[in-house]
Amino acid sequence: MRRTSLAAFANRITLPDLRLSPGEKLTPERIRIELLSGLTVALALVPEAVAFAFVAGVHPLVGLYAAFLVGLVTALIGGRPGMISGATGALAVVMVALVAQHGVEYLFATVVLMGILQVIAGVMRWGKFIRLVPHPVMLGFVNGLAIVIFLAQLTQFKVPGTVESTGHGAGGGEWLSGAPLWIMLGLVAATMAIIWVMPRITKVIPAPLAGIGIIAAVVIAFGLDVPRVGDMASIQGGFPAFHIPSVPLTWETFEIILPYAVILAAIGLIESLLTLNLVGEMTGQRGGASQECVAQGAANVLTGFFGGMGGCAMIGQSMINVKSGGRTRVAGIAAALLLLCFILFASPLIEQIPLAALVGVMFMVVIGTFAWNSLKILAKVPLTDAFVIVLVTVVTVYSDLAVAVVVGVIVSALAYAWNNARRIHATTYRTPEGAKVYRVNGPLFFGSSDGFVEMFDVKGDPSLVIVDFEGSRVVDQSALQAIENVAGKYEAAGKKIQLRHLSRDCHRLLKKAGHLMVDSADDPDYALAVDYNVRTGILGGH
């Protein structure tokens, strides 16, 4: 088995590539599209980062710094140009318990450890296991996240409260009612209408940016009393400063932060890798899963040392970027740098943007993210797949993404194992010498081992029985044990059994039983698994 050194892996990390596709360099028109897309994303990041900071129980700037640092690093060295990363709700809901019990400094230390674990996952190339996520789980994932994004916007329909008075920022009061509610709904609908109509008129400006700009101009010009970004919290701040987390360097501290770091690292990587696949399907480009793991880890390590709450890929902002035309790293870099400019210089202006405009943008993201075709295919796909789609969607909404994906994969794996277990069967015939031959078909593994044992008629069979595995494959120890059990029954009855067409790796284990006669003259040799190197096109064995 080949070993991958850290230096060798580092050589495979793709440095910032500003091309749209191989052989196609950026043009002034492409740069304009990327920068405007980045501006749109940056505007949408502000309320999201602030809201997630409130969820985690930390200052809004902690969420904004995370959005800037994580977004910048992943845009520079991530595995998928066009993806947007930052502070997310999936991580914030885990962080809140840590912050409440131990304080924000322990959160910073946890984020650093979380990043280290993600870098290790990338170096070990564990990101490739995301391919084990079935398509029904992916459908449930996007549907669940679309619903989560929609529900998150509903908090903006509450009377804004201050951080000091409510502890929750915007959305900390009662629900809007009367004229304020209708004005809010009208502005949201107007924003969605602009986003829908704008591409049919012109594509010079990204539709979401046009919606935000027009609605903001109307609100400011007419002095409409509606919730604005500044009602959530002030986003004014300085450049993030280097800060070593103020926690005791003891084993007790490690025991406190390790469980949170593991959970956060897992959630962050799962959400990032699924988003990577989703963006890849939309843009028709491939991305490096392991490189994305390293980028996410490096971003979180840096963020932990600069007072950020950590983060991962954001499907909502990634969809905004892709729908606005962002395809290269330029858009992600621009979004991060513009967000920093908002914090340093433009906070009074950004705080005047009505939340209704940003809610309208996110509602359009929800419409574009939800896999509406999954509703049509529910009655056409196998019942198990339909159940997995619904299950993952529900668990994503009511629990969290990591649990939903794990549950979906487990259910899919169990369904696959059960379906394969039912495939085991055998046909029989007699040889001219009087021996009875069982031709086994279907995989022999833990799920089918009981059915395999029940196929044999030990009492009624002749003195010599031949079991032919040409149409089967012995997979695991349960299968080997089942074969030995069958052989033991024939031996107890004073009969002989021969095994044919077994792979060589099974011979050594089976011969340990002593009483088995393995006919190996015509047994096949099974090749070992290989890796395909997409960069060189060369097959490499282990």
PDB file of all heavy atoms in Angstrom, residues 15-33:
ATOM      1  N   LEU A  15      -2.572  25.661  -6.291  1.00  0.00           N
ATOM      2  CA  LEU A  15      -2.453  27.063  -5.915  1.00  0.00           C
ATOM      3  C   LEU A  15      -3.539  27.858  -6.640  1.00  0.00           C
ATOM      4  O   LEU A  15      -4.158  27.371  -7.592  1.00  0.00           O
ATOM      5  CB  LEU A  15      -1.061  27.576  -6.289  1.00  0.00           C
ATOM      6  CG  LEU A  15       0.081  26.930  -5.486  1.00  0.00           C
ATOM      7  CD1 LEU A  15       1.412  27.456  -6.001  1.00  0.00           C
ATOM      8  CD2 LEU A  15      -0.065  27.189  -4.010  1.00  0.00           C
ATOM      9  N   PRO A  16      -3.812  29.080  -6.175  1.00  0.00           N
ATOM     10  CA  PRO A  16      -4.881  29.860  -6.777  1.00  0.00           C
ATOM     11  C   PRO A  16      -4.793  29.887  -8.296  1.00  0.00           C
ATOM     12  O   PRO A  16      -3.813  30.327  -8.873  1.00  0.00           O
ATOM     13  CB  PRO A  16      -4.676  31.261  -6.179  1.00  0.00           C
ATOM     14  CG  PRO A  16      -4.059  30.989  -4.848  1.00  0.00           C
ATOM     15  CD  PRO A  16      -3.174  29.801  -5.051  1.00  0.00           C
ATOM     16  N   ASP A  17      -5.829  29.390  -8.943  1.00  0.00           N
ATOM     17  CA  ASP A  17      -5.900  29.319 -10.398  1.00  0.00           C
ATOM     18  C   ASP A  17      -7.032  30.229 -10.842  1.00  0.00           C
ATOM     19  O   ASP A  17      -8.193  29.980 -10.543  1.00  0.00           O
ATOM     20  CB  ASP A  17      -6.169  27.878 -10.832  1.00  0.00           C
ATOM     21  CG  ASP A  17      -6.133  27.734 -12.347  1.00  0.00           C
ATOM     22  OD1 ASP A  17      -5.912  28.753 -13.029  1.00  0.00           O
ATOM     23  OD2 ASP A  17      -6.340  26.593 -12.836  1.00  0.00           O
ATOM     24  N   LEU A  18      -6.691  31.296 -11.556  1.00  0.00           N
ATOM     25  CA  LEU A  18      -7.685  32.292 -11.916  1.00  0.00           C
ATOM     26  C   LEU A  18      -8.292  32.039 -13.284  1.00  0.00           C
ATOM     27  O   LEU A  18      -8.867  32.929 -13.898  1.00  0.00           O
ATOM     28  CB  LEU A  18      -7.050  33.695 -11.861  1.00  0.00           C
ATOM     29  CG  LEU A  18      -6.475  34.082 -10.505  1.00  0.00           C
ATOM     30  CD1 LEU A  18      -5.946  35.505 -10.545  1.00  0.00           C
ATOM     31  CD2 LEU A  18      -7.494  33.916  -9.402  1.00  0.00           C
ATOM     32  N   ARG A  19      -8.175  30.802 -13.768  1.00  0.00           N
ATOM     33  CA  ARG A  19      -8.792  30.480 -15.052  1.00  0.00           C
ATOM     34  C   ARG A  19     -10.211  29.964 -14.843  1.00  0.00           C
ATOM     35  O   ARG A  19     -10.505  29.297 -13.874  1.00  0.00           O
ATOM     36  CB  ARG A  19      -7.966  29.430 -15.782  1.00  0.00           C
ATOM     37  CG  ARG A  19      -6.582  29.901 -16.171  1.00  0.00           C
ATOM     38  CD  ARG A  19      -5.818  28.787 -16.833  1.00  0.00           C
ATOM     39  NE  ARG A  19      -5.633  27.671 -15.916  1.00  0.00           N
ATOM     40  CZ  ARG A  19      -5.091  26.513 -16.277  1.00  0.00           C
ATOM     41  NH1 ARG A  19      -4.705  26.311 -17.515  1.00  0.00           N
ATOM     42  NH2 ARG A  19      -4.934  25.548 -15.386  1.00  0.00           N
ATOM     43  N   LEU A  20     -11.059  30.257 -15.850  1.00  0.00           N
ATOM     44  CA  LEU A  20     -12.424  29.756 -15.810  1.00  0.00           C
ATOM     45  C   LEU A  20     -12.447  28.269 -16.113  1.00  0.00           C
ATOM     46  O   LEU A  20     -13.161  27.501 -15.504  1.00  0.00           O
ATOM     47  CB  LEU A  20     -13.281  30.528 -16.817  1.00  0.00           C
ATOM     48  CG  LEU A  20     -14.762  30.138 -16.919  1.00  0.00           C
ATOM     49  CD1 LEU A  20     -15.439  30.405 -15.593  1.00  0.00           C
ATOM     50  CD2 LEU A  20     -15.425  30.906 -18.041  1.00  0.00           C
ATOM     51  N   SER A  21     -11.663  27.836 -17.056  1.00  0.00           N
ATOM     52  CA  SER A  21     -11.511  26.436 -17.411  1.00  0.00           C
ATOM     53  C   SER A  21     -10.146  26.295 -18.051  1.00  0.00           C
ATOM     54  O   SER A  21      -9.515  27.291 -18.423  1.00  0.00           O
ATOM     55  CB  SER A  21     -12.623  25.995 -18.376  1.00  0.00           C
ATOM     56  OG  SER A  21     -12.561  26.757 -19.578  1.00  0.00           O
ATOM     57  N   PRO A  22      -9.612  25.061 -18.166  1.00  0.00           N
ATOM     58  CA  PRO A  22      -8.280  24.884 -18.731  1.00  0.00           C
ATOM     59  C   PRO A  22      -8.146  25.591 -20.081  1.00  0.00           C
ATOM     60  O   PRO A  22      -8.928  25.371 -20.999  1.00  0.00           O
ATOM     61  CB  PRO A  22      -8.171  23.364 -18.863  1.00  0.00           C
ATOM     62  CG  PRO A  22      -9.063  22.836 -17.790  1.00  0.00           C
ATOM     63  CD  PRO A  22     -10.206  23.787 -17.718  1.00  0.00           C
ATOM     64  N   GLY A  23      -7.131  26.426 -20.178  1.00  0.00           N
ATOM     65  CA  GLY A  23      -6.864  27.122 -21.423  1.00  0.00           C
ATOM     66  C   GLY A  23      -7.616  28.437 -21.579  1.00  0.00           C
ATOM     67  O   GLY A  23      -7.387  29.167 -22.535  1.00  0.00           O
ATOM     68  N   GLU A  24      -8.530  28.763 -20.683  1.00  0.00           N
ATOM     69  CA  GLU A  24      -9.334  29.983 -20.800  1.00  0.00           C
ATOM     70  C   GLU A  24      -8.978  30.929 -19.668  1.00  0.00           C
ATOM     71  O   GLU A  24      -9.256  30.656 -18.511  1.00  0.00           O
ATOM     72  CB  GLU A  24     -10.826  29.651 -20.750  1.00  0.00           C
ATOM     73  CG  GLU A  24     -11.701  30.880 -20.922  1.00  0.00           C
ATOM     74  CD  GLU A  24     -13.172  30.524 -20.904  1.00  0.00           C
ATOM     75  OE1 GLU A  24     -13.487  29.326 -20.781  1.00  0.00           O
ATOM     76  OE2 GLU A  24     -13.989  31.452 -20.998  1.00  0.00           O
ATOM     77  N   LYS A  25      -8.372  32.068 -20.003  1.00  0.00           N
ATOM     78  CA  LYS A  25      -7.955  33.034 -18.995  1.00  0.00           C
ATOM     79  C   LYS A  25      -9.063  34.057 -18.761  1.00  0.00           C
ATOM     80  O   LYS A  25      -9.976  34.203 -19.550  1.00  0.00           O
ATOM     81  CB  LYS A  25      -6.660  33.721 -19.437  1.00  0.00           C
ATOM     82  CG  LYS A  25      -5.466  32.766 -19.472  1.00  0.00           C
ATOM     83  CD  LYS A  25      -4.182  33.513 -19.780  1.00  0.00           C
ATOM     84  CE  LYS A  25      -2.997  32.559 -19.744  1.00  0.00           C
ATOM     85  NZ  LYS A  25      -1.715  33.259 -20.026  1.00  0.00           N
ATOM     86  N   LEU A  26      -8.909  34.761 -17.648  1.00  0.00           N
ATOM     87  CA  LEU A  26      -9.900  35.768 -17.288  1.00  0.00           C
ATOM     88  C   LEU A  26      -9.858  36.937 -18.260  1.00  0.00           C
ATOM     89  O   LEU A  26      -8.803  37.399 -18.665  1.00  0.00           O
ATOM     90  CB  LEU A  26      -9.639  36.277 -15.869  1.00  0.00           C
ATOM     91  CG  LEU A  26      -9.958  35.312 -14.730  1.00  0.00           C
ATOM     92  CD1 LEU A  26      -9.465  35.890 -13.425  1.00  0.00           C
ATOM     93  CD2 LEU A  26     -11.446  35.043 -14.663  1.00  0.00           C
ATOM     94  N   THR A  27     -11.024  37.406 -18.626  1.00  0.00           N
ATOM     95  CA  THR A  27     -11.165  38.599 -19.459  1.00  0.00           C
ATOM     96  C   THR A  27     -11.722  39.712 -18.586  1.00  0.00           C
ATOM     97  O   THR A  27     -12.252  39.461 -17.497  1.00  0.00           O
ATOM     98  CB  THR A  27     -12.128  38.319 -20.624  1.00  0.00           C
ATOM     99  OG1 THR A  27     -13.424  38.003 -20.088  1.00  0.00           O
ATOM    100  CG2 THR A  27     -11.627  37.149 -21.471  1.00  0.00           C
ATOM    101  N   PRO A  28     -11.632  40.951 -19.027  1.00  0.00           N
ATOM    102  CA  PRO A  28     -12.233  42.044 -18.239  1.00  0.00           C
ATOM    103  C   PRO A  28     -13.704  41.811 -17.947  1.00  0.00           C
ATOM    104  O   PRO A  28     -14.192  42.138 -16.859  1.00  0.00           O
ATOM    105  CB  PRO A  28     -12.010  43.267 -19.133  1.00  0.00           C
ATOM    106  CG  PRO A  28     -10.775  42.928 -19.917  1.00  0.00           C
ATOM    107  CD  PRO A  28     -10.861  41.456 -20.172  1.00  0.00           C
ATOM    108  N   GLU A  29     -14.450  41.251 -18.903  1.00  0.00           N
ATOM    109  CA  GLU A  29     -15.864  40.985 -18.685  1.00  0.00           C
ATOM    110  C   GLU A  29     -16.051  39.929 -17.606  1.00  0.00           C
ATOM    111  O   GLU A  29     -16.922  40.054 -16.740  1.00  0.00           O
ATOM    112  CB  GLU A  29     -16.506  40.514 -19.989  1.00  0.00           C
ATOM    113  CG  GLU A  29     -17.965  40.081 -19.864  1.00  0.00           C
ATOM    114  CD  GLU A  29     -18.883  41.222 -19.454  1.00  0.00           C
ATOM    115  OE1 GLU A  29     -18.461  42.394 -19.540  1.00  0.00           O
ATOM    116  OE2 GLU A  29     -20.019  40.946 -19.037  1.00  0.00           O
ATOM    117  N   ARG A  30     -15.220  38.881 -17.646  1.00  0.00           N
ATOM    118  CA  ARG A  30     -15.317  37.826 -16.622  1.00  0.00           C
ATOM    119  C   ARG A  30     -14.963  38.376 -15.245  1.00  0.00           C
ATOM    120  O   ARG A  30     -15.599  38.055 -14.247  1.00  0.00           O
ATOM    121  CB  ARG A  30     -14.408  36.668 -17.019  1.00  0.00           C
ATOM    122  CG  ARG A  30     -14.174  35.608 -15.952  1.00  0.00           C
ATOM    123  CD  ARG A  30     -15.409  35.070 -15.318  1.00  0.00           C
ATOM    124  NE  ARG A  30     -16.401  34.558 -16.250  1.00  0.00           N
ATOM    125  CZ  ARG A  30     -17.567  34.067 -15.890  1.00  0.00           C
ATOM    126  NH1 ARG A  30     -17.910  34.062 -14.597  1.00  0.00           N
ATOM    127  NH2 ARG A  30     -18.425  33.636 -16.789  1.00  0.00           N
ATOM    128  N   ILE A  31     -13.925  39.232 -15.180  1.00  0.00           N
ATOM    129  CA  ILE A  31     -13.539  39.831 -13.895  1.00  0.00           C
ATOM    130  C   ILE A  31     -14.679  40.675 -13.342  1.00  0.00           C
ATOM    131  O   ILE A  31     -14.961  40.660 -12.139  1.00  0.00           O
ATOM    132  CB  ILE A  31     -12.261  40.684 -14.068  1.00  0.00           C
ATOM    133  CG1 ILE A  31     -11.066  39.768 -14.398  1.00  0.00           C
ATOM    134  CG2 ILE A  31     -11.975  41.488 -12.800  1.00  0.00           C
ATOM    135  CD1 ILE A  31      -9.790  40.518 -14.671  1.00  0.00           C
ATOM    136  N   ARG A  32     -15.364  41.430 -14.218  1.00  0.00           N
ATOM    137  CA  ARG A  32     -16.495  42.242 -13.778  1.00  0.00           C
ATOM    138  C   ARG A  32     -17.583  41.362 -13.171  1.00  0.00           C
ATOM    139  O   ARG A  32     -18.132  41.668 -12.101  1.00  0.00           O
ATOM    140  CB  ARG A  32     -17.056  43.034 -14.960  1.00  0.00           C
ATOM    141  CG  ARG A  32     -18.208  43.961 -14.588  1.00  0.00           C
ATOM    142  CD  ARG A  32     -18.861  44.541 -15.837  1.00  0.00           C
ATOM    143  NE  ARG A  32     -19.485  43.497 -16.639  1.00  0.00           N
ATOM    144  CZ  ARG A  32     -20.670  42.957 -16.363  1.00  0.00           C
ATOM    145  NH1 ARG A  32     -21.354  43.385 -15.297  1.00  0.00           N
ATOM    146  NH2 ARG A  32     -21.179  42.018 -17.125  1.00  0.00           N
ATOM    147  N   ILE A  33     -17.906  40.269 -13.841  1.00  0.00           N
ATOM    148  CA  ILE A  33     -18.939  39.358 -13.339  1.00  0.00           C
ATOM    149  C   ILE A  33     -18.531  38.771 -11.991  1.00  0.00           C
ATOM    150  O   ILE A  33     -19.342  38.695 -11.061  1.00  0.00           O
ATOM    151  CB  ILE A  33     -19.200  38.231 -14.367  1.00  0.00           C
ATOM    152  CG1 ILE A  33     -19.809  38.803 -15.641  1.00  0.00           C
ATOM    153  CG2 ILE A  33     -20.107  37.162 -13.766  1.00  0.00           C
ATOM    154  CD1 ILE A  33     -19.964  37.798 -16.756  1.00  0.00           C
TER     155      ILE A  33
END
